[in-house]
Amino acid sequence: MIPVRGYKDCRVAVLGLGRSGLATARALVAGGATPLCWDDSPEGRARAEGEGFALLDPARPDAWDEIALLVVSPGIPHLYPRPNPVIAAAWEAGVPVDNDIGLFFRSFATPDWDSMDQIPKVVAVTGSNGKSTTSALIHHVLEAEGRATQLAGNIGRGVLDLDPAANGDVVVLELSSYQTDLARALTPDIAVFTNLSPDHLDRHGGLGGYFAAKRRLFTEGGPDRAVIGVDENEGRFLANVLAETPGDDRVIRISTQRKPSGAGWQVVARKGFLSEWRKGRQVASIDLRAVPGLPGEHNHQNACAAYAVARSLGLNPRRIEAAFHSFAGLPHRSQRIGEKDGVVYVNDSKATNADSAAKSLQAFGRIRWIAGGLGKEGGLGPLLPHVGSVAKAYLIGHSARDFALELGADVPHEICETMDVAVARAGAEAEPGDTVLLAPAAASFDQYKDFEMRGADFTARVRSLIDPDAPQG
């Protein structure tokens, strides 16, 4: 646990009592503060009371008396589409609002670091797609190298649940726009921007607000080094803002679409080969085509980002390459489930928007595509240029008929409604060499609690199809 510093003997309100909220309350107690908790759900309040935390009803007239800070969970909107009433009340009372990410950055470093041979570092990864795989890959490379490392944030543990830093520890954080948008302190040593595509636009008041939330990771605290994906205008803009000179190696530009140019530090992946360039010369390369855990161009971009971070931390290119080969990938992210009769089954349930699904469609050959769910603004528009490899689409969920209209006569498709029907139909019609791919291009909330549950359902049905006699569950 990371004890929260700076609020000893203070009363701190905590709004939202899920994983991060309860971890925040515990960390506040460890730092000598008194947390006062609230959640809209009776179940959340009961969990807090079960751990011995006091409740604070924000509707009480005296609720904000002597409150030093309000800490909110990332899922609670603070500005768009409209401020949560509790946050608006804190504004009126002049109470500062923060989240657990801000508290982490204010509390992680301690006087004990003065006696360490190697000062701990924080790597923070943000962007629209690839954050989780990039973060997990960095963590895996460091573990393979024998470095002390912890993984947290939007993946794995909550940030305040981390262990206090050890000598030379590297903390890798995956940070969503919900987390970077509100944090009052953002001071990573290395910050990564993977890419940008439209997502969460209602929460951020449009694409500009969404990018601004991501950009805060780089502009609020000023990382020592920034790894920037430059395949979109927003990334090129950000790299240009951060670099002082054309050859400023505090900025590492990564790309899967652009040839290396100029004197700066660049890591690019083209036609399956990753190459590192410095001062206009290639200094290292890796053949990514033989890395089973990183299929497709989108994963090659993730590899570029992880490679750049590892090189920034002083790791040797050949040792990074060896670690790539032992990376198994993450569940629900281009996860190979199995093969039967020459047909491969892949779970990319995390492809919850059209842009990420488009990247998945480009990673494989002839595809039997399972798509649908709760469609997002813009529908399938960004991926329609990439459906040439789709032999047939099997559409499920709330948006099945809307997706069918968008695909039209160009892509054979069938409305299956549910996962069991889609898997059965795709499996029955697939031919040797085909890939049955779950890449929904939609949220899961119409039929599932989250994308993990959707991916788990797909996985269970595929395994039953591959081996009907195997025990399920």
Short mmCIF file of all heavy atoms in Angstrom, two decimals, residues 422-472:
data_model
loop_
_atom_site.label_atom_id
_atom_site.label_comp_id
_atom_site.label_asym_id
_atom_site.label_seq_id
_atom_site.Cartn_x
_atom_site.Cartn_y
_atom_site.Cartn_z
N ALA A 422 -23.53 -17.30 -33.00
CA ALA A 422 -22.46 -16.78 -33.85
C ALA A 422 -21.28 -17.74 -33.91
O ALA A 422 -20.74 -18.02 -34.99
CB ALA A 422 -22.01 -15.41 -33.36
N VAL A 423 -20.86 -18.25 -32.77
CA VAL A 423 -19.72 -19.18 -32.74
C VAL A 423 -20.06 -20.46 -33.48
O VAL A 423 -19.25 -20.98 -34.27
CB VAL A 423 -19.29 -19.47 -31.29
CG1 VAL A 423 -18.26 -20.60 -31.25
CG2 VAL A 423 -18.71 -18.21 -30.64
N ALA A 424 -21.25 -20.97 -33.24
CA ALA A 424 -21.65 -22.21 -33.92
C ALA A 424 -21.70 -22.03 -35.43
O ALA A 424 -21.21 -22.87 -36.20
CB ALA A 424 -23.00 -22.68 -33.38
N ARG A 425 -22.29 -20.92 -35.90
CA ARG A 425 -22.41 -20.69 -37.34
C ARG A 425 -21.04 -20.44 -37.97
O ARG A 425 -20.73 -20.97 -39.04
CB ARG A 425 -23.33 -19.49 -37.59
CG ARG A 425 -24.78 -19.72 -37.17
CD ARG A 425 -25.48 -20.71 -38.10
NE ARG A 425 -25.54 -20.18 -39.45
CZ ARG A 425 -25.48 -20.94 -40.55
NH1 ARG A 425 -25.33 -22.26 -40.44
NH2 ARG A 425 -25.57 -20.40 -41.75
N ALA A 426 -20.21 -19.63 -37.33
CA ALA A 426 -18.88 -19.35 -37.88
C ALA A 426 -18.04 -20.62 -37.93
O ALA A 426 -17.35 -20.89 -38.92
CB ALA A 426 -18.18 -18.28 -37.05
N GLY A 427 -18.11 -21.42 -36.85
CA GLY A 427 -17.35 -22.66 -36.82
C GLY A 427 -17.81 -23.64 -37.88
O GLY A 427 -17.00 -24.35 -38.49
N ALA A 428 -19.11 -23.71 -38.13
CA ALA A 428 -19.65 -24.64 -39.11
C ALA A 428 -19.27 -24.25 -40.53
O ALA A 428 -19.08 -25.12 -41.40
CB ALA A 428 -21.17 -24.71 -38.97
N GLU A 429 -19.16 -22.96 -40.80
CA GLU A 429 -18.90 -22.49 -42.16
C GLU A 429 -17.44 -22.24 -42.46
O GLU A 429 -17.05 -22.08 -43.62
CB GLU A 429 -19.70 -21.21 -42.42
CG GLU A 429 -21.21 -21.43 -42.38
CD GLU A 429 -22.00 -20.18 -42.70
OE1 GLU A 429 -21.39 -19.08 -42.78
OE2 GLU A 429 -23.23 -20.29 -42.87
N ALA A 430 -16.58 -22.19 -41.41
CA ALA A 430 -15.17 -21.88 -41.60
C ALA A 430 -14.47 -23.00 -42.37
O ALA A 430 -14.80 -24.18 -42.24
CB ALA A 430 -14.49 -21.65 -40.26
N GLU A 431 -13.47 -22.61 -43.16
CA GLU A 431 -12.67 -23.52 -43.95
C GLU A 431 -11.23 -23.49 -43.46
O GLU A 431 -10.82 -22.53 -42.81
CB GLU A 431 -12.74 -23.12 -45.43
CG GLU A 431 -14.15 -23.09 -45.99
CD GLU A 431 -14.21 -22.50 -47.39
OE1 GLU A 431 -13.13 -22.11 -47.90
OE2 GLU A 431 -15.32 -22.40 -47.95
N PRO A 432 -10.45 -24.54 -43.74
CA PRO A 432 -9.04 -24.52 -43.33
C PRO A 432 -8.34 -23.25 -43.82
O PRO A 432 -8.51 -22.83 -44.97
CB PRO A 432 -8.47 -25.77 -44.02
CG PRO A 432 -9.64 -26.69 -44.13
CD PRO A 432 -10.82 -25.81 -44.41
N GLY A 433 -7.60 -22.62 -42.90
CA GLY A 433 -6.94 -21.36 -43.21
C GLY A 433 -7.70 -20.14 -42.74
O GLY A 433 -7.15 -19.03 -42.68
N ASP A 434 -8.98 -20.31 -42.39
CA ASP A 434 -9.78 -19.20 -41.89
C ASP A 434 -9.42 -18.88 -40.44
O ASP A 434 -8.95 -19.75 -39.68
CB ASP A 434 -11.27 -19.51 -41.95
CG ASP A 434 -11.84 -19.47 -43.36
OD1 ASP A 434 -11.07 -19.16 -44.29
OD2 ASP A 434 -13.04 -19.74 -43.52
N THR A 435 -9.70 -17.65 -40.03
CA THR A 435 -9.64 -17.23 -38.63
C THR A 435 -11.04 -16.80 -38.19
O THR A 435 -11.64 -15.92 -38.82
CB THR A 435 -8.66 -16.06 -38.43
OG1 THR A 435 -7.34 -16.49 -38.77
CG2 THR A 435 -8.67 -15.59 -36.98
N VAL A 436 -11.56 -17.44 -37.15
CA VAL A 436 -12.81 -16.98 -36.54
C VAL A 436 -12.42 -15.95 -35.49
O VAL A 436 -11.78 -16.26 -34.49
CB VAL A 436 -13.60 -18.14 -35.91
CG1 VAL A 436 -14.82 -17.60 -35.16
CG2 VAL A 436 -14.03 -19.12 -36.98
N LEU A 437 -12.78 -14.70 -35.75
CA LEU A 437 -12.29 -13.56 -34.96
C LEU A 437 -13.43 -12.83 -34.27
O LEU A 437 -14.35 -12.34 -34.93
CB LEU A 437 -11.55 -12.58 -35.88
CG LEU A 437 -11.14 -11.23 -35.29
CD1 LEU A 437 -10.07 -11.41 -34.21
CD2 LEU A 437 -10.64 -10.28 -36.38
N LEU A 438 -13.37 -12.77 -32.94
CA LEU A 438 -14.26 -11.88 -32.19
C LEU A 438 -13.58 -10.53 -32.06
O LEU A 438 -12.58 -10.38 -31.36
CB LEU A 438 -14.56 -12.45 -30.80
CG LEU A 438 -15.32 -11.50 -29.85
CD1 LEU A 438 -16.72 -11.20 -30.37
CD2 LEU A 438 -15.37 -12.06 -28.44
N ALA A 439 -14.09 -9.55 -32.80
CA ALA A 439 -13.60 -8.16 -32.71
C ALA A 439 -14.83 -7.27 -32.80
O ALA A 439 -15.20 -6.80 -33.88
CB ALA A 439 -12.60 -7.85 -33.83
N PRO A 440 -15.53 -7.02 -31.69
CA PRO A 440 -16.92 -6.54 -31.72
C PRO A 440 -17.15 -5.15 -32.30
O PRO A 440 -18.25 -4.87 -32.78
CB PRO A 440 -17.33 -6.59 -30.25
CG PRO A 440 -16.37 -7.55 -29.61
CD PRO A 440 -15.08 -7.36 -30.34
N ALA A 441 -16.16 -4.26 -32.21
CA ALA A 441 -16.35 -2.87 -32.64
C ALA A 441 -17.50 -2.21 -31.90
O ALA A 441 -18.14 -1.30 -32.42
CB ALA A 441 -16.57 -2.79 -34.16
N ALA A 442 -17.76 -2.65 -30.69
CA ALA A 442 -18.89 -2.14 -29.91
C ALA A 442 -18.67 -2.45 -28.44
O ALA A 442 -17.91 -3.36 -28.09
CB ALA A 442 -20.19 -2.78 -30.39
N ALA A 443 -19.33 -1.69 -27.60
CA ALA A 443 -19.30 -1.97 -26.16
C ALA A 443 -20.09 -3.24 -25.88
O ALA A 443 -20.85 -3.74 -26.71
CB ALA A 443 -19.89 -0.80 -25.39
N SER A 444 -19.91 -3.76 -24.68
CA SER A 444 -20.49 -5.07 -24.33
C SER A 444 -21.75 -4.96 -23.48
O SER A 444 -22.40 -5.98 -23.22
CB SER A 444 -19.44 -5.87 -23.54
OG SER A 444 -19.07 -5.16 -22.35
N PHE A 445 -22.11 -3.76 -23.05
CA PHE A 445 -23.06 -3.62 -21.94
C PHE A 445 -24.49 -4.01 -22.27
O PHE A 445 -25.35 -4.06 -21.38
CB PHE A 445 -23.01 -2.20 -21.39
CG PHE A 445 -21.63 -1.75 -21.03
CD1 PHE A 445 -21.11 -0.58 -21.56
CD2 PHE A 445 -20.83 -2.50 -20.19
CE1 PHE A 445 -19.82 -0.17 -21.24
CE2 PHE A 445 -19.55 -2.11 -19.87
CZ PHE A 445 -19.04 -0.93 -20.41
N ASP A 446 -24.80 -4.28 -23.54
CA ASP A 446 -26.15 -4.72 -23.88
C ASP A 446 -26.39 -6.16 -23.44
O ASP A 446 -27.50 -6.54 -23.05
CB ASP A 446 -26.41 -4.57 -25.38
CG ASP A 446 -25.39 -5.33 -26.23
OD1 ASP A 446 -24.25 -5.55 -25.75
OD2 ASP A 446 -25.73 -5.70 -27.36
N GLN A 447 -25.33 -6.99 -23.46
CA GLN A 447 -25.49 -8.42 -23.15
C GLN A 447 -24.56 -8.91 -22.05
O GLN A 447 -24.78 -9.99 -21.50
CB GLN A 447 -25.25 -9.26 -24.42
CG GLN A 447 -26.30 -9.05 -25.50
CD GLN A 447 -26.03 -9.89 -26.74
OE1 GLN A 447 -24.90 -10.02 -27.17
NE2 GLN A 447 -27.08 -10.44 -27.31
N TYR A 448 -23.52 -8.13 -21.73
CA TYR A 448 -22.51 -8.58 -20.77
C TYR A 448 -22.16 -7.45 -19.81
O TYR A 448 -22.31 -6.27 -20.13
CB TYR A 448 -21.24 -9.02 -21.50
CG TYR A 448 -21.45 -10.15 -22.48
CD1 TYR A 448 -21.69 -9.88 -23.83
CD2 TYR A 448 -21.43 -11.48 -22.07
CE1 TYR A 448 -21.88 -10.90 -24.74
CE2 TYR A 448 -21.62 -12.52 -22.97
CZ TYR A 448 -21.85 -12.22 -24.31
OH TYR A 448 -22.05 -13.23 -25.20
N LYS A 449 -21.61 -7.84 -18.67
CA LYS A 449 -21.18 -6.85 -17.68
C LYS A 449 -20.02 -6.03 -18.20
O LYS A 449 -19.92 -4.82 -17.94
CB LYS A 449 -20.78 -7.58 -16.38
CG LYS A 449 -20.21 -6.67 -15.31
CD LYS A 449 -19.75 -7.48 -14.10
CE LYS A 449 -19.08 -6.59 -13.07
NZ LYS A 449 -18.57 -7.38 -11.91
N ASP A 450 -19.09 -6.66 -18.93
CA ASP A 450 -17.92 -5.98 -19.45
C ASP A 450 -17.33 -6.78 -20.60
O ASP A 450 -17.80 -7.88 -20.91
CB ASP A 450 -16.87 -5.75 -18.35
CG ASP A 450 -16.58 -7.02 -17.55
OD1 ASP A 450 -16.57 -8.12 -18.15
OD2 ASP A 450 -16.37 -6.92 -16.33
N PHE A 451 -16.29 -6.25 -21.24
CA PHE A 451 -15.70 -6.94 -22.38
C PHE A 451 -15.03 -8.24 -21.96
O PHE A 451 -14.93 -9.19 -22.75
CB PHE A 451 -14.71 -6.04 -23.12
CG PHE A 451 -13.40 -5.82 -22.41
CD1 PHE A 451 -12.35 -6.72 -22.56
CD2 PHE A 451 -13.20 -4.70 -21.61
CE1 PHE A 451 -11.14 -6.53 -21.92
CE2 PHE A 451 -11.99 -4.50 -20.96
CZ PHE A 451 -10.96 -5.42 -21.10
N GLU A 452 -14.56 -8.32 -20.69
CA GLU A 452 -13.95 -9.56 -20.22
C GLU A 452 -14.98 -10.69 -20.19
O GLU A 452 -14.68 -11.83 -20.59
CB GLU A 452 -13.36 -9.36 -18.82
CG GLU A 452 -12.11 -8.49 -18.79
CD GLU A 452 -12.41 -7.07 -18.38
OE1 GLU A 452 -13.59 -6.64 -18.56
OE2 GLU A 452 -11.50 -6.38 -17.90
N MET A 453 -16.19 -10.40 -19.71
CA MET A 453 -17.23 -11.43 -19.67
C MET A 453 -17.61 -11.86 -21.08
O MET A 453 -17.84 -13.05 -21.35
CB MET A 453 -18.44 -10.91 -18.89
CG MET A 453 -19.53 -11.96 -18.69
SD MET A 453 -20.90 -11.36 -17.67
CE MET A 453 -20.06 -11.24 -16.08
N ARG A 454 -17.68 -10.90 -22.00
CA ARG A 454 -17.99 -11.23 -23.40
C ARG A 454 -16.89 -12.14 -23.97
O ARG A 454 -17.18 -13.15 -24.62
CB ARG A 454 -18.11 -9.95 -24.23
CG ARG A 454 -18.32 -10.19 -25.72
CD ARG A 454 -18.63 -8.90 -26.45
NE ARG A 454 -17.56 -7.92 -26.32
CZ ARG A 454 -17.67 -6.63 -26.66
NH1 ARG A 454 -18.81 -6.18 -27.14
NH2 ARG A 454 -16.66 -5.80 -26.52
N GLY A 455 -15.63 -11.78 -23.73
CA GLY A 455 -14.54 -12.61 -24.22
C GLY A 455 -14.52 -13.98 -23.60
O GLY A 455 -14.20 -14.98 -24.26
N ALA A 456 -14.86 -14.05 -22.31
CA ALA A 456 -14.89 -15.34 -21.63
C ALA A 456 -16.00 -16.23 -22.21
O ALA A 456 -15.82 -17.46 -22.33
CB ALA A 456 -15.10 -15.14 -20.14
N ASP A 457 -17.14 -15.65 -22.57
CA ASP A 457 -18.22 -16.42 -23.18
C ASP A 457 -17.76 -16.97 -24.53
O ASP A 457 -17.95 -18.15 -24.84
CB ASP A 457 -19.45 -15.52 -23.34
CG ASP A 457 -20.68 -16.29 -23.81
OD1 ASP A 457 -20.71 -17.52 -23.65
OD2 ASP A 457 -21.61 -15.64 -24.33
N PHE A 458 -17.14 -16.12 -25.34
CA PHE A 458 -16.61 -16.57 -26.63
C PHE A 458 -15.61 -17.70 -26.43
O PHE A 458 -15.68 -18.75 -27.11
CB PHE A 458 -15.95 -15.39 -27.35
CG PHE A 458 -15.19 -15.77 -28.60
CD1 PHE A 458 -15.87 -15.99 -29.79
CD2 PHE A 458 -13.81 -15.88 -28.58
CE1 PHE A 458 -15.17 -16.32 -30.95
CE2 PHE A 458 -13.11 -16.21 -29.73
CZ PHE A 458 -13.80 -16.44 -30.91
N THR A 459 -14.70 -17.53 -25.48
CA THR A 459 -13.66 -18.52 -25.24
C THR A 459 -14.26 -19.86 -24.82
O THR A 459 -13.85 -20.92 -25.31
CB THR A 459 -12.70 -18.01 -24.15
OG1 THR A 459 -12.06 -16.81 -24.61
CG2 THR A 459 -11.63 -19.05 -23.82
N ALA A 460 -15.23 -19.82 -23.92
CA ALA A 460 -15.85 -21.06 -23.45
C ALA A 460 -16.56 -21.79 -24.59
O ALA A 460 -16.47 -23.02 -24.71
CB ALA A 460 -16.84 -20.74 -22.33
N ARG A 461 -17.23 -21.04 -25.45
CA ARG A 461 -17.97 -21.68 -26.55
C ARG A 461 -17.01 -22.23 -27.61
O ARG A 461 -17.27 -23.28 -28.20
CB ARG A 461 -18.97 -20.70 -27.14
CG ARG A 461 -20.02 -20.29 -26.12
CD ARG A 461 -21.11 -19.40 -26.68
NE ARG A 461 -21.97 -18.94 -25.59
CZ ARG A 461 -22.92 -19.67 -25.02
NH1 ARG A 461 -23.13 -20.92 -25.40
NH2 ARG A 461 -23.66 -19.16 -24.05
N VAL A 462 -15.91 -21.52 -27.83
CA VAL A 462 -14.91 -22.03 -28.77
C VAL A 462 -14.27 -23.31 -28.25
O VAL A 462 -14.11 -24.30 -28.98
CB VAL A 462 -13.84 -20.96 -29.04
CG1 VAL A 462 -12.63 -21.56 -29.74
CG2 VAL A 462 -14.43 -19.82 -29.88
N ARG A 463 -13.91 -23.33 -26.98
CA ARG A 463 -13.28 -24.53 -26.42
C ARG A 463 -14.23 -25.71 -26.44
O ARG A 463 -13.81 -26.86 -26.66
CB ARG A 463 -12.79 -24.22 -25.01
CG ARG A 463 -11.56 -23.32 -25.02
CD ARG A 463 -11.07 -22.94 -23.66
NE ARG A 463 -9.81 -22.19 -23.76
CZ ARG A 463 -9.33 -21.41 -22.81
NH1 ARG A 463 -9.98 -21.30 -21.66
NH2 ARG A 463 -8.19 -20.77 -23.00
N SER A 464 -15.52 -25.47 -26.23
CA SER A 464 -16.50 -26.52 -26.32
C SER A 464 -16.62 -27.03 -27.75
O SER A 464 -16.80 -28.23 -27.99
CB SER A 464 -17.86 -26.03 -25.83
OG SER A 464 -18.84 -27.03 -25.91
N LEU A 465 -16.47 -26.11 -28.71
CA LEU A 465 -16.53 -26.48 -30.12
C LEU A 465 -15.30 -27.30 -30.52
O LEU A 465 -15.41 -28.30 -31.25
CB LEU A 465 -16.62 -25.21 -30.98
CG LEU A 465 -16.77 -25.38 -32.49
CD1 LEU A 465 -18.15 -25.92 -32.82
CD2 LEU A 465 -16.56 -24.03 -33.19
N ILE A 466 -14.13 -26.89 -30.02
CA ILE A 466 -12.89 -27.58 -30.36
C ILE A 466 -12.86 -28.97 -29.73
O ILE A 466 -12.45 -29.94 -30.36
CB ILE A 466 -11.68 -26.74 -29.91
CG1 ILE A 466 -11.58 -25.47 -30.78
CG2 ILE A 466 -10.39 -27.55 -29.99
CD1 ILE A 466 -10.50 -24.52 -30.33
N ASP A 467 -13.28 -29.07 -28.47
CA ASP A 467 -13.25 -30.35 -27.75
C ASP A 467 -14.54 -30.51 -26.95
O ASP A 467 -14.60 -30.15 -25.77
CB ASP A 467 -12.03 -30.43 -26.84
CG ASP A 467 -11.85 -31.79 -26.20
OD1 ASP A 467 -12.71 -32.67 -26.44
OD2 ASP A 467 -10.86 -31.98 -25.46
N PRO A 468 -15.59 -31.05 -27.58
CA PRO A 468 -16.89 -31.15 -26.89
C PRO A 468 -16.84 -31.99 -25.63
O PRO A 468 -17.70 -31.84 -24.76
CB PRO A 468 -17.80 -31.78 -27.95
CG PRO A 468 -17.12 -31.52 -29.25
CD PRO A 468 -15.64 -31.52 -28.96
N ASP A 469 -15.87 -32.91 -25.53
CA ASP A 469 -15.81 -33.81 -24.39
C ASP A 469 -15.03 -33.26 -23.22
O ASP A 469 -15.01 -33.87 -22.12
CB ASP A 469 -15.20 -35.17 -24.80
CG ASP A 469 -16.05 -35.86 -25.86
OD1 ASP A 469 -17.27 -35.74 -25.79
OD2 ASP A 469 -15.46 -36.50 -26.75
N ALA A 470 -14.35 -32.13 -23.43
CA ALA A 470 -13.54 -31.55 -22.35
C ALA A 470 -14.44 -30.94 -21.29
O ALA A 470 -15.52 -30.39 -21.61
CB ALA A 470 -12.59 -30.50 -22.90
N PRO A 471 -14.06 -31.01 -20.01
CA PRO A 471 -14.86 -30.36 -18.95
C PRO A 471 -14.87 -28.86 -19.16
O PRO A 471 -13.84 -28.26 -19.45
CB PRO A 471 -14.14 -30.76 -17.66
CG PRO A 471 -12.76 -31.12 -18.09
CD PRO A 471 -12.85 -31.68 -19.47
N GLN A 472 -16.03 -28.25 -19.04
CA GLN A 472 -16.18 -26.81 -19.22
C GLN A 472 -16.34 -26.12 -17.88
O GLN A 472 -16.72 -26.74 -16.89
CB GLN A 472 -17.39 -26.51 -20.11
CG GLN A 472 -17.34 -27.19 -21.46
CD GLN A 472 -16.16 -26.77 -22.31
OE1 GLN A 472 -15.82 -25.58 -22.39
NE2 GLN A 472 -15.50 -27.74 -22.92
#
